[in-house]
């Protein structure tokens, strides 16, 4: 809801208030952002109060105010040249130089129907209301619109700016952040997600000290280096308590986020398109739109801030066709075959997948002409008839006949030097005319700023999608951009225009094929962001499928993104990423908190592993809606506690799935206490462990303590035995009250510690895990 009183704006969501006003110098300032406060007659008590200017400072306009010093004001739009010495959110340059001062002109409030959609960038869907504030720089006549979209139930405000040049003179935009706000608190810590290939979304915690913290990407995409999502939290805030602000950006290109604490300990936070190599020329009557930034606040710790973001993404980012729609369980042939496959091999894999209960078969890289390794073939997508003699139509038919849907991998934004497309259009790649372009993974980036390249990709991908019954697409992107260049001195617009090209392509293709499920991928999570999610409902989280490593990656992603958007697969062991061996159930337990897939050769597994997979899929299908769309909680982080705990809770609070993931097993382990949140205090719940099986190899020679005959733990007999026989995990089931679960009264069975094994010993091992299903058995009627 947006309240306006004499140019004071009080934006409220279910739990938050955002309070701004136009001050006596006509600047727009933030007076409060936090837990929802009441509407009152007179808000002046909440204003920042300046009764004298600080030394060494500039007074903006002494006629209007003797104290208005932009350097210490909580500006919603900051510029250069008028006494603000913090990092500005808007840097412009015209013939007069860099001096700009934007003052309030007017505002409008739009109800649902009037909400603006951006012309070339993704816009969040179905906002409740929109506030547009117009600010003008009187000398240059440049106008800046500040748009605030309100999403009441998500507790989210999305903000962007639009710059309109109403002057004959051209202006250069050197920096234009989407959102900016200044908070009165110097007790903050920043949590951002950093990483690299196969090691995405690692949490970094930095104390906010006087000075500037920067989180950005410069490689052309939102990147695995620094995700645009981040949190600014009170140092004392925990997972379930304390104040947390969270931010994201609906954009997939270079981005930049800043947190600056100034000399009077005001903290200015901003985010948007990165100013790195950015220089956008705006001629008379032209406009420039920034992507939307996304802001939320929680007074109940990190979980609530994440849940706000999840609600927003599930309801206002993901396309309506896939909104809250259950995602299929897939088998992907990549780690099963890599480039070496035949039609028969694929069909055999699909048959086994069907037997296990899998629903979708994804044919990954290597299906098209010349593509037998990663050195050739990208760009054309004509089927390789040696591998697929009946073409895509033929293989899709065979897969459909087995009873699975058929999905296909593409990497449309790229071209291999050794390809028909490159030979025909060497000028279509991103490069400087006089500089030898550099390759990444043996390929070049196609120049998506060019309309003919966009048209080619749209047509090429569309024709392939029409050629067979393809119901899923994995859209990959495997190298960062280098050698960026645009003609006529416009290179400063390259990265932004690349994104406009990308969004035009994916918007046209997804509109033409609305029922095809697209999964984004960029060597895993190199482009895991809200821009991609506007078109592709899910994104492959990481090429690292080792269950322990994935635990960190998914836990980081969950802070900003819901589990329904994260592709998560069970792979073979030892893991190709780190050569670690984890139990098949642990690999499932981690992947189960996402869009589940399998990516291994099912035909090379033992009967006991196939049995385990069948049981996993049965469990996942039985609870899929809850797992994919339930409210997600984290109760501990692996990096802090040597274990992690995740839970999904249904909206009616009648059922939950709780996962416990062990780090390194220690001797004399502590008692595990279960302390959950938000179950119904007065209800009774059944809490039961999903049965798992132990591979006998886990116990080595100790197996002889329970066997009637002695066998050699390294011998053939043991090898044969482990293919067919397993040992059941502990049995654990309780009837407990909701308040007991919420307050840590329930204790789990003792962990293994040089003991014997029976149904009362919880044998977890290094990286072991359990899932527990919790369902209400006696209703509290609340
Ligand atoms: C990238 C993806 C992988 C796989 C390969 C195929 O690395 O992240 O999942 O599709 O490309 O080349």
């Amino acid at each position: 809801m947006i309240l306006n009183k004499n140019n004071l704006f009080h934006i409220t969501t279910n739990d938050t208030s955002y309070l701004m006003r136009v001050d006596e110098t006509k600047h727009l300032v933030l007076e409060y952002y936090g837990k929802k406060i009441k509407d009152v007659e007179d808000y002046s008590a909440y204003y920042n109060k300046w009764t004298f200017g600080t030394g060494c400072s500039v007074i903006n306009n002494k006629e209007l105010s003797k104290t208005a010093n932009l350097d210490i004001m909580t500006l919603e739009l900051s510029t250069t040249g008028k006494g603000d010495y913090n990092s500005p959110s808007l840097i412009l340059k015209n013939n007069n130089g860099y001096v700009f001062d934007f003052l309030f002109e007017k505002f409008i409030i739009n109800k649902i129907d009037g909400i603006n959609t951006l012309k070339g960038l993704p816009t969040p869907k179905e906002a409740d209301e929109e506030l547009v504030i117009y600010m003008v720089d009187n000398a240059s006549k440049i106008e800046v619109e500040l748009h605030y979209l309100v999403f009441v139930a998500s507790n989210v405000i999305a903000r962007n700016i639009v710059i309109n040049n109403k002057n004959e003179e051209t202006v250069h935009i050197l920096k234009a952040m989407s959102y900016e706000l200044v908070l009165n608190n110097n007790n903050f810590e920043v949590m951002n997600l950093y990483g690299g290939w196969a090691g995405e979304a690692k949490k970094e915690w930095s104390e906010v000290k006087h000075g500037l913290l920067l989180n950005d990407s410069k490689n052309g995409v939102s990147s695995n280096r620094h995700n645009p999502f981040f949190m600014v939290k009170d140092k004392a805030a925990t997972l379930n308590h304390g104040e947390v602000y969270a931010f994201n950006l609906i954009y997939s290109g270079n981005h930049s986020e800043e947190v600056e604490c100034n000399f009077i300990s005001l903290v200015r936070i901003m985010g948007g398109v990165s100013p790195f190599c950015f220089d956008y020329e705006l001629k008379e009557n032209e406009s420039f739109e920034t992507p939307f930034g996304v802001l939320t606040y929680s007074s109940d710790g990190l979980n609530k801030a994440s849940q706000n973001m999840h609600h927003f993404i599930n309801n206002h980012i993901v396309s309506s066709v896939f909104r809250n729609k259950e995602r299929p369980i897939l088998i992907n042939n990549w780690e099963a075959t890599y480039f070496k496959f035949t039609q028969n091999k694929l069909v055999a894999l699909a048959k086994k997948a069907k037997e296990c209960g899998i629903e979708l078969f994804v044919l990954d890289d290597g299906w098209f002409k010349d593509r037998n390794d990663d050195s050739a073939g990208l760009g054309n997508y004509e089927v390789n008839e040696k591998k697929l003699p009946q073409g895509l139509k033929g293989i899709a038919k065979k897969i459909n006949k087995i009873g699975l849907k058929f999905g296909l991998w593409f990497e449309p934004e790229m071209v291999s030097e050794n390809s028909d497309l490159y030979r025909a259009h060497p000028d279509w790649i991103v490069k400087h005319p006089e500089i030898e372009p550099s390759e990444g993974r043996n390929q070049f980036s196609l120049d998506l700023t060019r309309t003919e390249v966009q048209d080619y990709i749209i047509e090429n991908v569309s024709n392939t999608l029409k050629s067979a019954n393809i119901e899923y697409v994995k859209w990959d992107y495997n190298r960062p951009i280098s050698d960026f260049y645009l003609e006529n001195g416009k290179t400063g617009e390259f990265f932004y225009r690349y994104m406009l090209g990308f969004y035009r392509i994916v918007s046209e293709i997804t509109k033409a094929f609305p029922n095809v499920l697209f999964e984004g991928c960029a060597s895993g999570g190199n482009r895991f962001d809200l821009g991609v999610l506007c078109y592709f409902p899910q994104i492959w989280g990481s090429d690292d499928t080792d269950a322990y490593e994935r635990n960190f990656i998914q836990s980081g992603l969950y802070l900003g993104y819901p589990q329904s958007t994260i592709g998560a697969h069970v792979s073979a062991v030892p893991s190709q990423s780190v050569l670690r061996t984890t139990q098949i159930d642990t690999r499932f337990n981690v992947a189960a908190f996402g869009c589940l897939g399998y990516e291994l050769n099912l035909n090379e597994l033992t009967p006991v592993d196939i049995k385990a997979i069948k049981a996993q899929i049965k469990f996942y299908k039985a609870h899929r809606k809850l797992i994919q769309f339930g409210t997600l909680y984290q109760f501990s982080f692996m990096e802090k506690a040597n274990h992690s705990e995740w839970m999904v809770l249904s909206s009616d609070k009648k059922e939950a799935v709780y996962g416990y993931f062990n780090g390194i097993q220690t001797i004399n382990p502590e008692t595990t206490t279960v302390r959950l949140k938000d179950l119904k205090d007065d209800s009774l719940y059944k809490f039961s462990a999903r049965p798992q099986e132990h591979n006998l190899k886990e116990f080595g020679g100790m197996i002889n303590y329970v066997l009637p005959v002695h066998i050699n733990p390294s011998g053939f007999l043991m090898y044969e035995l482990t293919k067919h026989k397993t040992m059941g995990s502990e049995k654990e089931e309780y009837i407990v009250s909701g308040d007991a679960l919420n307050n840590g009264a329930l204790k789990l069975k003792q962990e293994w510690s040089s003991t014997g094994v029976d149904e009362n010993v919880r044998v977890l091992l290094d990286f072991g895990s359990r899932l527990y299903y919790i369902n209400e058995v006696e209703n509290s009627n609340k």
Side-chain angles (χ1 to χ4, degrees), residues 197 332 334-335 339 364-366 371 374 409 411 441 474 476-478 521-525 540 542-543 599:
W197 172 69
N332 180 307
W334 178 243
E335 286 184 30
F339 291 103
D364 210 280
D365 197 357
R371 190 73 173 165
D374 67 10
W409 179 96
E411 197 178 348
R441 207 195 185 197
K474 179 174 172 189
D476 212 340
Y477 175 98
N478 280 316
C521 174
S523 309
W540 176 224
S542 175
D543 278 356
E599 193 165 332

Side-chain angles (χ1 to χ4, degrees), residues 197 330-341 346 349 361-367 371-374 387 409 441 474 476 478 521 540 543 545 569 571 576 598-601:
W197 172 69
L330 64 82
I331 174 84
N332 180 307
N333 77 308
W334 178 243
E335 286 184 30
T337 67
Y338 295 101
F339 291 103
K340 283 194 184 152
F341 58 83
L346 299 180
L349 182 61
F361 182 92
V362 179
L363 175 53
D364 210 280
D365 197 357
W367 58 266
R371 190 73 173 165
N372 295 314
D373 54 38
D374 67 10
K387 288 180 181 172
W409 179 96
R441 207 195 185 197
K474 179 174 172 189
D476 212 340
N478 280 316
C521 174
W540 176 224
D543 278 356
T545 46
H569 297 176
S571 291
Q576 58 143 28
Y598 288 79
E599 193 165 332
L600 71 179
N601 191 346

Side-chain angles (χ1 to χ4, degrees), residues 641-657:
N642 188 33
H643 69 262
S644 68
E645 297 160 88
W646 303 336
M647 177 180 83
V648 282
L649 178 64
S650 64
S651 52
D652 60 10
K653 303 183 177 197
K654 287 186 175 176
E655 49 171 5
V657 171

